Amino acid sequence: MTRDQQASALPGAHSAERVDGLPFHARALATAHRVAGAAAVPAGLLGLVGLIGWISGTDALKEVLPGAVAMKANTAVALMALGLSLYVAVRAGARPGALAVSRVAAVLVALLGALTLMEYAAGADLGIDELLFADDTVHQGTGPPGRMAPQTTVALIAAGVGSVCAGAPRVPAWVSQVLGLAVGALGMLRLYGAAYAVPELEQFGPYSGMALHTAVALILLGTALFLARPGEGCAGLLLNAGTTGALGRWLFVTVLVVPPLLGLATLAGEDEGVFGSRLGTALLVCGHVAVFTAVIFATLAVGRRVEVAHGRLEWQVRQNALLQAFMDHTPAVVFIKDLDGRFLAVNTTFEESLKLSRDQVLGRRDDEVMPSDLARQVRAADLAVLAAGRPVQREERLALPAGARDVLSTLFPLRDASGTPYALCGVVTDITDRVAAQREVQRSHRRFLALLESAPDATLITDGDGTVLMANPQVQRLFGRVPGDLVGTDVIGLVPAARRRRHGALLDAYFRLRAPKPTVLDTDLFGLRGDGSEFPVEVSVSSVRSEQETLVVLTVRDITERRRLEAERAERYEQQRRIAYTLQHSLMGEPPRLAHLPCAYRYLASVQDPGVGGDWFDVIPLDERRTGVLIGDVMGRGLEAAAVMGQLRAASHALARTGVTPSGLMGALDTFVGDLAGQLVTCVYLVLDQSRHEVTLCSAGHLPVIVLPPDGPACRLTSPVGVPLGVNDAGPGVPFEEATRPLPPGSALVLYTDGLVERPGTDIEAQIDVLTRTVDLALKGAPVDDPGTLDQAADRLVGTLVADTDISDDDVTLLLLGVPGTEVNGLRT
């Protein structure tokens, strides 16, 4: 059944089954089968009567009426075989052997008719006419002895072929039905001849005539052929339970009855001399016109009712189509069954769940489309709903082909206008995910309780107002209060009375945050034990938001021991810090105050070490006009880097006082550092010659020096950059190169270590550019021979490049030098 047929037939699908789109009553189809079998049996018996007449020589059995045409022996045998063949063909559940015998009998009859027809066509005698008996009835008609009439021959061929087709399901039903109508028409033609006393309809020309009982047998065989498959083809159009069948049967009876009666009436009038043949013909025509006019108007009336019913049906089909569309777009499984459990309608979700197409489901019961266990479970639920007579909803687990699923099923009866149930509707929603989520929530709740109770710290859960909702057993160990007694009380009650105002303000402030994050508070927080004693605590605060409320989780830890250890650690750290500061100050020393070379410096120790590091600088007077300036950075931190720095500062100072060139000093320091395992050092050494207004420098992997000339912007002082000290091996390595650059009076020099410009996530070159611009802004046009000006510039540079001097994670060293342009101690610098 198609979907359109299912949609239109939904309300009445329980009253009639449908075949080829037409409604049929099962009883009518069964009756038609019985009529077909009942027609085949007397046809065969008529043949048997004729055969007995030939065997016994009884003319009455051969002729039926005295002096009438006799049934030929071959005709009698053929009628018997056809009667048997059709009786077997129309029986339900016939054995294969019986069906084979019936087909063979039908084929033999068709073959006998074909051979007889060949005799007529060729004018030959094949010796089959008197094969069984010698014909002693040739005086009754013309033609060769024993040969059946031509119309009988054609009828037997059609009946034999029709019998074979009727028993073959693959052959369309209309083939055997059309052949049956032809066989019946040939028999009726002989009866019309007898009724109207027209010999020409009994016997064609000089050939043998058809016996009267042969005509009756042919009519019965035609009826059997037509009704052999009553739910298909032409018979289906005539026998269906719809308007088509009713109208067809009415017209068919009219055609079979009215014309013969009109013909008999006309002949009777002519025979009695009431009117002549011409008037009789005119009256016959008028009668047919009147009858068919009445039939037409009756048909129109029926057609009108059909159109009205069709309109209602179209409306119902549209409503059912809308209902089907609604069902198909519903994510739940939706179905409608009749009271016997046959599916009348299903949606696409139903098809997907059972992995069956709609056409494989409609019209079938549960046990025909579902596994047996599932079918029994579903049918039991259906019967329970029908017995209760009201909707039933329940959760259950179904074993579907795709796997077991948890479902919420709703079943309810559909009732007609009188309140009588005629169908059952079901809506099944897959809630597997929801059930799994509920089970997971339950498991999570159990895990949460286990986790809460096993937590090592006292844990309390409160609502947004601070009321305790849950507390774990550790609360009793910490506060001396039973957890159950705390539920429903204010959490502030666990704080000493004198401190509750501050603690409550902190908690309220946390509640007011729009998106509070987990926070740990341990500053000046105290708890209250059951005996009234106070103790310092650390409180971890976090929140859990839901649609209904906000829950706050407080984890409380006693930090009395931690506070004692922190105090001891702070005291030891302060002692170490004072020692480290003294050591660093003694290692770096103070730069000499030179009137001809004012300077300013800044040193910031790393917060990761106790105030010591590897940065250093030195200003070394060489003579009245020349000054050496050195800045370096020992890679690493702590006391080890400070110790290496102290050695390098002493060595470099001593070497510089000998007047060694910058490159020579770097080579000597490289050898010195090479003797120290695992050490790398960057530094730059400058010799300022103020008499020549130039500077000679050599860099060992150090950052560039920034120079601010009096007549130009600040820029990097270009010079060759060598490898850091300690990179070269004991043998000859990369040589250190020095360069001499002009240094006009009024210039300023800025030397620094990487702690000033190096930051995580930033480009060090960009930071050097920032330093260069800041130098230009701080000192451009300012008197560089004023130490106060240099001090202010140093503060500005550090403030610009170091975001927070209190949390610097690397040592920072900055040295600013000003080259005066005036006389100092009688010398022109």
Side-chain angles (χ1 to χ4, degrees), residues 646-702:
Q647 299 178 60
L648 287 173
R649 185 178 188 280
S652 62
H653 190 92
L655 286 171
R657 297 288 290 183
T658 64
V660 66
T661 62
S663 59
L665 185 140
M666 289 299 172
L669 291 180
D670 185 45
T671 302
F672 179 81
V673 174
D675 294 336
L676 303 176
Q679 295 294 331
L680 289 177
V681 180
T682 67
C683 66
V684 60
Y685 176 53
L686 299 83
V687 175
L688 283 71
D689 190 340
Q690 293 175 265
S691 63
R692 296 185 177 183
H693 306 302
E694 63 183 17
V695 58
T696 302
L697 69 161
C698 182
S699 174
H702 201 75

Short mmCIF file of all heavy atoms in Angstrom, two decimals, residues 646-702:
data_model
loop_
_atom_site.label_atom_id
_atom_site.label_comp_id
_atom_site.label_asym_id
_atom_site.label_seq_id
_atom_site.Cartn_x
_atom_site.Cartn_y
_atom_site.Cartn_z
N GLY A 646 82.47 40.02 41.05
CA GLY A 646 83.51 40.69 41.86
C GLY A 646 84.89 40.44 41.31
O GLY A 646 85.73 41.36 41.26
N GLN A 647 85.15 39.18 40.88
CA GLN A 647 86.47 38.88 40.33
C GLN A 647 86.70 39.64 39.03
O GLN A 647 87.79 40.20 38.79
CB GLN A 647 86.59 37.37 40.07
CG GLN A 647 86.46 36.52 41.33
CD GLN A 647 86.53 35.04 41.01
OE1 GLN A 647 87.53 34.56 40.47
NE2 GLN A 647 85.46 34.33 41.35
N LEU A 648 85.70 39.68 38.16
CA LEU A 648 85.86 40.37 36.89
C LEU A 648 86.04 41.87 37.09
O LEU A 648 86.81 42.52 36.36
CB LEU A 648 84.63 40.10 36.00
CG LEU A 648 84.55 38.70 35.40
CD1 LEU A 648 83.21 38.52 34.69
CD2 LEU A 648 85.68 38.47 34.41
N ARG A 649 85.30 42.44 38.06
CA ARG A 649 85.43 43.89 38.28
C ARG A 649 86.84 44.24 38.74
O ARG A 649 87.46 45.21 38.27
CB ARG A 649 84.41 44.35 39.31
CG ARG A 649 84.39 45.87 39.49
CD ARG A 649 83.33 46.27 40.48
NE ARG A 649 83.18 47.72 40.53
CZ ARG A 649 84.00 48.54 41.21
NH1 ARG A 649 85.00 48.03 41.91
NH2 ARG A 649 83.80 49.85 41.20
N ALA A 650 87.38 43.40 39.62
CA ALA A 650 88.75 43.66 40.10
C ALA A 650 89.77 43.49 38.98
O ALA A 650 90.68 44.32 38.80
CB ALA A 650 89.06 42.73 41.27
N ALA A 651 89.57 42.40 38.20
CA ALA A 651 90.53 42.15 37.12
C ALA A 651 90.47 43.24 36.06
O ALA A 651 91.50 43.73 35.58
CB ALA A 651 90.25 40.78 36.50
N SER A 652 89.26 43.62 35.65
CA SER A 652 89.12 44.63 34.61
C SER A 652 89.65 45.99 35.09
O SER A 652 90.25 46.75 34.31
CB SER A 652 87.66 44.74 34.17
OG SER A 652 86.85 45.14 35.27
N HIS A 653 89.42 46.31 36.33
CA HIS A 653 89.90 47.59 36.85
C HIS A 653 91.43 47.64 36.81
O HIS A 653 92.03 48.65 36.40
CB HIS A 653 89.40 47.79 38.29
CG HIS A 653 89.64 49.17 38.81
ND1 HIS A 653 88.72 50.19 38.70
CD2 HIS A 653 90.72 49.71 39.45
CE1 HIS A 653 89.21 51.29 39.23
NE2 HIS A 653 90.45 51.01 39.71
N ALA A 654 92.05 46.51 37.22
CA ALA A 654 93.52 46.47 37.23
C ALA A 654 94.08 46.54 35.81
O ALA A 654 95.06 47.25 35.54
CB ALA A 654 93.98 45.19 37.94
N LEU A 655 93.45 45.79 34.89
CA LEU A 655 93.94 45.80 33.51
C LEU A 655 93.76 47.18 32.89
O LEU A 655 94.64 47.68 32.15
CB LEU A 655 93.18 44.75 32.69
CG LEU A 655 93.56 43.29 32.96
CD1 LEU A 655 92.57 42.37 32.24
CD2 LEU A 655 94.98 43.02 32.47
N ALA A 656 92.62 47.83 33.13
CA ALA A 656 92.38 49.14 32.54
C ALA A 656 93.41 50.16 33.03
O ALA A 656 93.84 51.05 32.28
CB ALA A 656 90.97 49.60 32.87
N ARG A 657 93.86 50.05 34.30
CA ARG A 657 94.83 51.01 34.83
C ARG A 657 96.18 50.86 34.16
O ARG A 657 96.98 51.81 34.18
CB ARG A 657 94.98 50.79 36.33
CG ARG A 657 93.71 51.04 37.14
CD ARG A 657 93.36 52.48 37.24
NE ARG A 657 94.30 53.20 38.10
CZ ARG A 657 94.21 54.48 38.41
NH1 ARG A 657 93.19 55.18 37.91
NH2 ARG A 657 95.11 55.06 39.18
N THR A 658 96.43 49.73 33.51
CA THR A 658 97.72 49.55 32.81
C THR A 658 97.72 50.26 31.48
O THR A 658 98.74 50.29 30.79
CB THR A 658 98.01 48.06 32.60
OG1 THR A 658 97.02 47.51 31.73
CG2 THR A 658 98.03 47.31 33.92
N GLY A 659 96.57 50.78 31.05
CA GLY A 659 96.48 51.47 29.77
C GLY A 659 96.25 50.54 28.59
O GLY A 659 96.43 50.94 27.44
N VAL A 660 95.82 49.29 28.83
CA VAL A 660 95.58 48.35 27.76
C VAL A 660 94.43 48.84 26.87
O VAL A 660 93.53 49.57 27.32
CB VAL A 660 95.24 46.96 28.35
CG1 VAL A 660 93.93 46.99 29.09
CG2 VAL A 660 95.22 45.88 27.26
N THR A 661 94.45 48.51 25.60
CA THR A 661 93.40 48.92 24.67
C THR A 661 92.11 48.17 25.00
O THR A 661 92.12 47.11 25.65
CB THR A 661 93.79 48.60 23.22
OG1 THR A 661 93.95 47.19 23.09
CG2 THR A 661 95.11 49.30 22.87
N PRO A 662 90.97 48.71 24.54
CA PRO A 662 89.72 48.00 24.80
C PRO A 662 89.72 46.56 24.30
O PRO A 662 89.25 45.65 24.99
CB PRO A 662 88.68 48.86 24.09
CG PRO A 662 89.25 50.23 24.15
CD PRO A 662 90.73 50.07 23.99
N SER A 663 90.24 46.31 23.08
CA SER A 663 90.25 44.95 22.57
C SER A 663 91.19 44.08 23.36
O SER A 663 90.92 42.89 23.59
CB SER A 663 90.62 44.94 21.08
OG SER A 663 91.91 45.53 20.89
N GLY A 664 92.31 44.64 23.79
CA GLY A 664 93.24 43.87 24.61
C GLY A 664 92.64 43.51 25.95
O GLY A 664 92.83 42.40 26.47
N LEU A 665 91.89 44.46 26.54
CA LEU A 665 91.24 44.16 27.81
C LEU A 665 90.22 43.04 27.64
O LEU A 665 90.11 42.15 28.48
CB LEU A 665 90.58 45.42 28.37
CG LEU A 665 89.96 45.30 29.76
CD1 LEU A 665 90.23 46.56 30.58
CD2 LEU A 665 88.46 45.06 29.65
N MET A 666 89.47 43.06 26.52
CA MET A 666 88.47 42.01 26.29
C MET A 666 89.13 40.65 26.11
O MET A 666 88.65 39.64 26.60
CB MET A 666 87.62 42.34 25.06
CG MET A 666 86.67 43.49 25.29
SD MET A 666 85.52 43.13 26.60
CE MET A 666 84.73 44.72 26.77
N GLY A 667 90.26 40.61 25.40
CA GLY A 667 90.95 39.35 25.21
C GLY A 667 91.43 38.78 26.52
O GLY A 667 91.33 37.57 26.78
N ALA A 668 91.99 39.67 27.40
CA ALA A 668 92.46 39.20 28.69
C ALA A 668 91.30 38.69 29.55
O ALA A 668 91.40 37.65 30.21
CB ALA A 668 93.23 40.32 29.41
N LEU A 669 90.19 39.43 29.58
CA LEU A 669 89.03 38.99 30.35
C LEU A 669 88.45 37.69 29.80
O LEU A 669 87.95 36.85 30.56
CB LEU A 669 87.95 40.08 30.36
CG LEU A 669 88.28 41.35 31.15
CD1 LEU A 669 87.11 42.33 31.06
CD2 LEU A 669 88.58 41.04 32.61
N ASP A 670 88.51 37.50 28.47
CA ASP A 670 87.99 36.27 27.87
C ASP A 670 88.80 35.08 28.37
O ASP A 670 88.25 34.01 28.67
CB ASP A 670 88.04 36.38 26.35
CG ASP A 670 87.40 35.17 25.67
OD1 ASP A 670 86.30 34.76 26.11
OD2 ASP A 670 87.97 34.63 24.70
N THR A 671 90.13 35.26 28.45
CA THR A 671 90.97 34.18 28.97
C THR A 671 90.64 33.89 30.42
O THR A 671 90.55 32.74 30.85
CB THR A 671 92.45 34.56 28.82
OG1 THR A 671 92.73 34.83 27.45
CG2 THR A 671 93.34 33.43 29.31
N PHE A 672 90.42 34.96 31.18
CA PHE A 672 90.10 34.80 32.60
C PHE A 672 88.77 34.03 32.78
O PHE A 672 88.68 33.11 33.58
CB PHE A 672 90.02 36.19 33.25
CG PHE A 672 89.68 36.14 34.71
CD1 PHE A 672 90.64 35.86 35.67
CD2 PHE A 672 88.37 36.37 35.14
CE1 PHE A 672 90.31 35.82 37.02
CE2 PHE A 672 88.04 36.32 36.48
CZ PHE A 672 89.01 36.05 37.42
N VAL A 673 87.75 34.45 32.00
CA VAL A 673 86.45 33.78 32.13
C VAL A 673 86.52 32.34 31.64
O VAL A 673 85.83 31.46 32.15
CB VAL A 673 85.38 34.58 31.36
CG1 VAL A 673 84.05 33.84 31.36
CG2 VAL A 673 85.19 35.95 31.97
N GLY A 674 87.37 32.08 30.62
CA GLY A 674 87.50 30.72 30.12
C GLY A 674 87.98 29.75 31.17
O GLY A 674 87.72 28.55 31.09
N ASP A 675 88.73 30.25 32.18
CA ASP A 675 89.19 29.38 33.26
C ASP A 675 88.09 29.08 34.27
O ASP A 675 88.28 28.21 35.13
CB ASP A 675 90.38 30.04 33.98
CG ASP A 675 91.60 30.14 33.06
OD1 ASP A 675 91.67 29.34 32.10
OD2 ASP A 675 92.45 31.02 33.30
N LEU A 676 86.97 29.81 34.16
CA LEU A 676 85.84 29.58 35.07
C LEU A 676 84.84 28.67 34.36
O LEU A 676 84.26 29.03 33.34
CB LEU A 676 85.19 30.90 35.47
CG LEU A 676 86.11 31.92 36.13
CD1 LEU A 676 85.36 33.23 36.38
CD2 LEU A 676 86.68 31.39 37.44
N ALA A 677 84.66 27.47 34.88
CA ALA A 677 83.81 26.48 34.19
C ALA A 677 82.36 26.95 34.13
O ALA A 677 81.80 27.39 35.13
CB ALA A 677 83.89 25.13 34.91
N GLY A 678 81.79 26.88 32.87
CA GLY A 678 80.37 27.12 32.70
C GLY A 678 79.95 28.56 32.87
O GLY A 678 78.79 28.82 33.21
N GLN A 679 80.81 29.54 32.63
CA GLN A 679 80.47 30.94 32.81
C GLN A 679 80.45 31.65 31.47
O GLN A 679 81.28 31.38 30.60
CB GLN A 679 81.46 31.64 33.75
CG GLN A 679 81.45 31.12 35.17
CD GLN A 679 80.14 31.43 35.86
OE1 GLN A 679 79.48 32.42 35.54
NE2 GLN A 679 79.78 30.59 36.83
N LEU A 680 79.45 32.55 31.28
CA LEU A 680 79.37 33.43 30.12
C LEU A 680 79.14 34.84 30.63
O LEU A 680 78.33 35.06 31.55
CB LEU A 680 78.22 33.01 29.19
CG LEU A 680 78.41 31.71 28.40
CD1 LEU A 680 77.15 31.42 27.61
CD2 LEU A 680 79.59 31.84 27.44
N VAL A 681 79.82 35.80 29.99
CA VAL A 681 79.74 37.19 30.44
C VAL A 681 79.64 38.08 29.21
O VAL A 681 80.36 37.87 28.22
CB VAL A 681 80.97 37.59 31.28
CG1 VAL A 681 80.86 39.04 31.74
CG2 VAL A 681 81.13 36.66 32.47
N THR A 682 78.72 39.05 29.26
CA THR A 682 78.69 40.10 28.23
C THR A 682 79.15 41.40 28.87
O THR A 682 78.81 41.68 30.03
CB THR A 682 77.28 40.28 27.65
OG1 THR A 682 76.44 40.80 28.66
CG2 THR A 682 76.71 38.96 27.14
N CYS A 683 79.94 42.17 28.14
CA CYS A 683 80.38 43.47 28.66
C CYS A 683 80.85 44.34 27.51
O CYS A 683 81.05 43.86 26.38
CB CYS A 683 81.50 43.31 29.70
SG CYS A 683 83.05 42.66 29.02
N VAL A 684 80.98 45.62 27.77
CA VAL A 684 81.50 46.57 26.80
C VAL A 684 82.44 47.53 27.56
O VAL A 684 82.13 47.98 28.68
CB VAL A 684 80.36 47.32 26.08
CG1 VAL A 684 79.51 48.10 27.05
CG2 VAL A 684 80.93 48.25 25.01
N TYR A 685 83.57 47.81 26.93
CA TYR A 685 84.57 48.70 27.55
C TYR A 685 84.80 49.88 26.61
O TYR A 685 85.04 49.69 25.42
CB TYR A 685 85.88 47.94 27.79
CG TYR A 685 86.98 48.80 28.35
CD1 TYR A 685 86.78 49.58 29.49
CD2 TYR A 685 88.24 48.84 27.75
CE1 TYR A 685 87.79 50.37 30.01
CE2 TYR A 685 89.26 49.62 28.27
CZ TYR A 685 89.03 50.39 29.39
OH TYR A 685 90.04 51.20 29.90
N LEU A 686 84.70 51.10 27.18
CA LEU A 686 84.88 52.33 26.41
C LEU A 686 86.04 53.13 27.02
O LEU A 686 86.21 53.18 28.26
CB LEU A 686 83.62 53.22 26.46
CG LEU A 686 82.32 52.67 25.89
CD1 LEU A 686 81.61 51.81 26.92
CD2 LEU A 686 81.41 53.83 25.45
N VAL A 687 86.81 53.72 26.15
CA VAL A 687 87.84 54.69 26.56
C VAL A 687 87.46 56.03 25.96
O VAL A 687 87.42 56.18 24.73
CB VAL A 687 89.24 54.26 26.10
CG1 VAL A 687 90.26 55.34 26.44
CG2 VAL A 687 89.63 52.93 26.75
N LEU A 688 87.12 57.01 26.83
CA LEU A 688 86.72 58.33 26.39
C LEU A 688 87.94 59.25 26.39
O LEU A 688 88.60 59.45 27.44
CB LEU A 688 85.64 58.92 27.31
CG LEU A 688 84.21 58.39 27.14
CD1 LEU A 688 84.08 56.96 27.64
CD2 LEU A 688 83.24 59.29 27.91
N ASP A 689 88.29 59.74 25.24
CA ASP A 689 89.42 60.70 25.12
C ASP A 689 88.80 62.06 24.85
O ASP A 689 88.39 62.38 23.73
CB ASP A 689 90.35 60.28 23.98
CG ASP A 689 91.65 61.09 23.97
OD1 ASP A 689 91.66 62.19 24.57
OD2 ASP A 689 92.62 60.60 23.38
N GLN A 690 88.75 62.91 25.94
CA GLN A 690 88.06 64.18 25.82
C GLN A 690 88.93 65.24 25.16
O GLN A 690 88.41 66.28 24.73
CB GLN A 690 87.59 64.65 27.21
CG GLN A 690 86.51 63.73 27.77
CD GLN A 690 86.13 64.11 29.19
OE1 GLN A 690 86.67 63.52 30.12
NE2 GLN A 690 85.24 65.06 29.35
N SER A 691 90.21 64.94 25.06
CA SER A 691 91.05 65.92 24.34
C SER A 691 90.87 65.79 22.84
O SER A 691 90.94 66.77 22.11
CB SER A 691 92.52 65.69 24.73
OG SER A 691 92.95 64.39 24.32
N ARG A 692 90.64 64.57 22.39
CA ARG A 692 90.42 64.33 20.96
C ARG A 692 88.94 64.28 20.61
O ARG A 692 88.59 64.10 19.44
CB ARG A 692 91.08 63.01 20.55
CG ARG A 692 92.59 63.02 20.71
CD ARG A 692 93.15 61.73 20.16
NE ARG A 692 94.61 61.72 20.24
CZ ARG A 692 95.38 60.73 19.78
NH1 ARG A 692 94.79 59.67 19.22
NH2 ARG A 692 96.70 60.79 19.89
N HIS A 693 88.12 64.38 21.61
CA HIS A 693 86.67 64.32 21.39
C HIS A 693 86.27 63.03 20.63
O HIS A 693 85.57 63.05 19.63
CB HIS A 693 86.18 65.55 20.60
CG HIS A 693 86.57 66.84 21.22
ND1 HIS A 693 86.23 67.20 22.50
CD2 HIS A 693 87.33 67.89 20.72
CE1 HIS A 693 86.72 68.38 22.80
NE2 HIS A 693 87.41 68.84 21.73
N GLU A 694 86.73 61.92 21.16
CA GLU A 694 86.39 60.63 20.55
C GLU A 694 86.30 59.57 21.64
O GLU A 694 86.77 59.76 22.77
CB GLU A 694 87.44 60.25 19.50
CG GLU A 694 88.85 60.05 20.07
CD GLU A 694 89.87 59.74 18.99
OE1 GLU A 694 89.57 60.00 17.81
OE2 GLU A 694 90.95 59.25 19.34
N VAL A 695 85.71 58.44 21.27
CA VAL A 695 85.57 57.32 22.18
C VAL A 695 85.95 56.05 21.43
O VAL A 695 85.58 55.84 20.27
CB VAL A 695 84.11 57.20 22.72
CG1 VAL A 695 83.12 57.04 21.58
CG2 VAL A 695 83.98 56.01 23.69
N THR A 696 86.72 55.19 22.08
CA THR A 696 87.12 53.89 21.52
C THR A 696 86.43 52.81 22.37
O THR A 696 86.55 52.85 23.61
CB THR A 696 88.63 53.72 21.55
OG1 THR A 696 89.23 54.79 20.81
CG2 THR A 696 89.03 52.38 20.94
N LEU A 697 85.79 51.87 21.71
CA LEU A 697 85.05 50.87 22.47
C LEU A 697 85.17 49.50 21.84
O LEU A 697 85.42 49.35 20.62
CB LEU A 697 83.57 51.24 22.57
CG LEU A 697 82.69 51.19 21.31
CD1 LEU A 697 81.23 51.13 21.71
CD2 LEU A 697 82.93 52.42 20.43
N CYS A 698 84.96 48.49 22.68
CA CYS A 698 84.97 47.08 22.24
C CYS A 698 83.87 46.35 23.02
O CYS A 698 83.78 46.50 24.24
CB CYS A 698 86.33 46.45 22.50
SG CYS A 698 86.46 44.72 21.94
N SER A 699 83.04 45.59 22.31
CA SER A 699 81.89 44.92 22.92
C SER A 699 82.04 43.41 22.82
O SER A 699 82.40 42.88 21.76
CB SER A 699 80.59 45.35 22.23
OG SER A 699 79.50 44.61 22.73
N ALA A 700 81.80 42.76 23.93
CA ALA A 700 81.79 41.29 23.97
C ALA A 700 80.34 40.82 24.13
O ALA A 700 79.91 40.44 25.22
CB ALA A 700 82.67 40.79 25.10
N GLY A 701 79.58 40.92 23.05
CA GLY A 701 78.20 40.44 23.05
C GLY A 701 77.24 41.27 23.86
O GLY A 701 76.13 40.83 24.15
N HIS A 702 77.63 42.50 24.23
CA HIS A 702 76.77 43.32 25.07
C HIS A 702 75.83 44.16 24.21
O HIS A 702 76.02 44.33 23.00
CB HIS A 702 77.63 44.24 25.96
CG HIS A 702 76.90 44.72 27.17
ND1 HIS A 702 76.66 43.92 28.26
CD2 HIS A 702 76.35 45.92 27.47
CE1 HIS A 702 76.01 44.59 29.18
NE2 HIS A 702 75.80 45.82 28.71
#
